[in-house]
């Protein structure tokens, strides 16, 4: 048995987490709660200071848990990567966005690896959790880490284990969501799996290499992207045919096998579903392969914000009102219900499209009082009042937050375009139109 595996089994290993965001902080907290000493690394001093003060800023972390493990000394955050030398295991959980040309931006992963490499030591484990294209761990990370003079599989362990964070999910959190792990060697897989088994209350599924684990994560989210693209396209067709796509889906759900319900909406949001297919299609071109079905679904989903604005224009036209100069109130800018995360939110694209056609736009989101996009800051309404609703020529529901009183909205709004079917139970529907 290797020295590191023994330290993991006895919980005497020091675990590091690079990136203290939506993935990294919950992971660091669970590792500390499991009894390990944890060091968190982030280039943003504000996050580091908040963690060290026990102040939580992530919805899926329990405030009291963070306060307790920081006070006990089990979790400490720093901007100084020299402390990597104290770590036996380091997990990289940094953003992997798309650049302006829809190409994978792996600069955060690359810079993290370059920051870790000078402080590598023997019997050390490095795990990449950031979603990326198949090949990243072995083609990008491994050569950078081996600049330390240490050899992967002989001197240190390297693996990929995709994050599976679903913000706002009340059932599945970091601790009880099954993990997939693929190492560069069988020993790498075994050591990485052992670490997660000592922290999580969920099965750890081992695969033969990092590329399988990387592709597995892409499959998870591309599966959802393609199916949402299918139902979005059907929604466009059903609208032309005068058929309710929502009623169609409810009917299809009555079948107890062979069907999983996906729902239309104003587009896709979050860090994974809208981005992952781009990573795969980009990598596929290296092999002369075009992911035609995936790219088709991406095209459908990408045009939904613009379609929603076109529908809003038609709705206003029925009211003898032009979109140019109309007051539009957008309800919800989070990318999914009941969270404060607006990364890649389709609602923000809806706002942008509304502004392009001359609408006077304001928004209300109980979780997001202000957001920043492309260097521009937009402040939301502080409260959803009758005056605010009555002043709007059209209200667009773009996020299905459950703490919004939609009966109140229906009562005071002139006309509503509900892109999420969140008002389906409201009986008085004279002023409601659904996607």
């Amino acid at each position: 048995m290797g020295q590191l595996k023994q330290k993991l089994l006895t919980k005497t290993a020091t675990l590091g987490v690079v990136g203290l965001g939506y993935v990294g902080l919950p992971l660091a907290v669970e590792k500390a709660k499991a009894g390990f000493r944890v060091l968190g690394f982030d280039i943003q001093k504000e996050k580091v200071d908040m963690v060290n003060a026990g102040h939580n800023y992530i919805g899926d972390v329990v405030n009291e848990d963070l306060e307790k493990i920081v006070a006990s000394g089990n979790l400490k955050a720093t901007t100084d990567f020299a402390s990597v030398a104290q770590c036996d295991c380091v997990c990289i959980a940094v953003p992997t966005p798309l650049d302006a040309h829809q190409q994978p931006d792996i600069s955060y992963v690359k810079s993290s690896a370059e920051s870790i490499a000078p402080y590598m030591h023997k019997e050390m484990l490095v795990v990449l959790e950031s979603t990326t294209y198949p090949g990243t761990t072995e083609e990008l990370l491994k050569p950078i880490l081996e600049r330390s003079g240490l050899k992967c599989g002989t001197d240190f362990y390297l693996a990929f284990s995709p994050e599976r964070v679903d913000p706002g999910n009340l059932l599945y959190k970091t601790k009880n969501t099954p993990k997939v792990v693929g190492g560069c060697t069988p020993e790498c897989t075994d050591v990485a799996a052992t670490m997660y088994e000592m922290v999580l209350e969920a099965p750890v599924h081992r695969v033969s290499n990092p590329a399988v684990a990387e592709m597995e994560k892409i499959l998870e989210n591309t599966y959802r992207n393609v199916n949402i693209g299918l139902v979005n396209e059907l929604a466009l067709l059903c609208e032309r045919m005068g058929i309710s796509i929502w009623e169609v889906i409810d009917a299809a759900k009555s079948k107890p096998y062979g069907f999983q319900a996906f729902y239309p909406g104003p587009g896709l949001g979050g860090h994974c579903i809208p981005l992952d297919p781009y990573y795969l299609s980009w990598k596929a071109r290296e092999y002369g392969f075009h992911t035609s079905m995936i790219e088709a679904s991406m095209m459908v989903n990408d045009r939904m914000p613009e379609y929603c604005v076109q529908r809003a224009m038609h709705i206003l036209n029925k009211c003898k009102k032009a979109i140019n100069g109309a007051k539009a109130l957008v309800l919800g800018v989070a990318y999914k219900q009941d969270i404060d995360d607006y990364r890649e939110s389709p609602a923000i694209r809806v706002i942008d499209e509304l502004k392009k056609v001359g609408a006077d736009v304001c928004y209300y989101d109980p979780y997001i009082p202000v957001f920043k996009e492309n260097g521009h800051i937009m402040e939301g309404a502080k409260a959803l009042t009758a005056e605010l609703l009555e002043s709007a020529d059209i209200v667009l529901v773009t996020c299905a937050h459950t703490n919004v009183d939609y009966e109140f909205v229906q009562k005071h709004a002139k006309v509503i375009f509900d892109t999420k079917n969140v008002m389906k139970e409201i009986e008085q529907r004279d002023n409601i139109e659904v996607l």
Side-chain angles (χ1 to χ4, degrees), residues 177-308:
T177 300
K179 263 287 190 184
V180 171
V181 176
C184 293
T185 66
E187 293 75 18
C188 291
T189 302
D190 185 48
V191 171
T194 299
M195 177 189 67
Y196 288 114
E197 287 166 349
M198 297 303 294
V199 172
L200 307 178
E201 293 177 349
V204 176
H205 184 90
R206 306 178 187 211
V207 297
S208 57
N209 57 63
V212 171
E214 289 161 340
M215 182 63 92
E216 178 280 324
K217 172 64 181 204
I218 296 287
L219 172 60
E220 287 180 30
N221 290 319
T222 301
Y223 167 80
R224 294 175 68 186
N225 191 304
V226 168
N227 281 281
I228 293 169
L230 169 64
V231 80
N232 273 332
E233 188 163 63
L234 286 176
L236 306 188
L237 175 60
C238 283
E239 194 272 328
R240 287 194 183 186
M241 298 177 71
I243 298 170
S244 168
I245 183 64
W246 307 94
E247 189 176 356
V248 170
I249 295 169
D250 283 344
K253 278 167 56 181
S254 66
K255 186 179 181 182
Y257 56 89
F259 179 81
Q260 180 180 356
F262 290 85
Y263 297 93
L268 291 178
H271 180 66
C272 290
I273 301 176
L275 275 63
D276 290 6
Y278 283 99
Y279 276 79
L280 183 58
S281 60
W282 176 83
K283 187 64 176 178
R285 287 196 289 273
E286 182 181 318
Y287 296 87
F289 188 92
H290 291 280
T291 52
S292 54
M293 181 183 294
I294 296 168
E295 289 171 23
S297 70
M298 288 153 58
M299 289 169 60
V300 172
N301 293 328
D302 285 349
R303 77 178 185 220
M304 288 306 293
E306 186 177 358
Y307 169 78
C308 287

Side-chain angles (χ1 to χ4, degrees), residues 19-20 41-46 48 78-79 81 108 111 115:
L20 298 175
F41 299 87
D42 204 288
I43 59 173
Q44 296 183 42
K45 188 175 184 299
E46 314 88 74
V48 166
T78 180
T79 58
F81 277 78
Y108 297 104
S111 61
S115 298

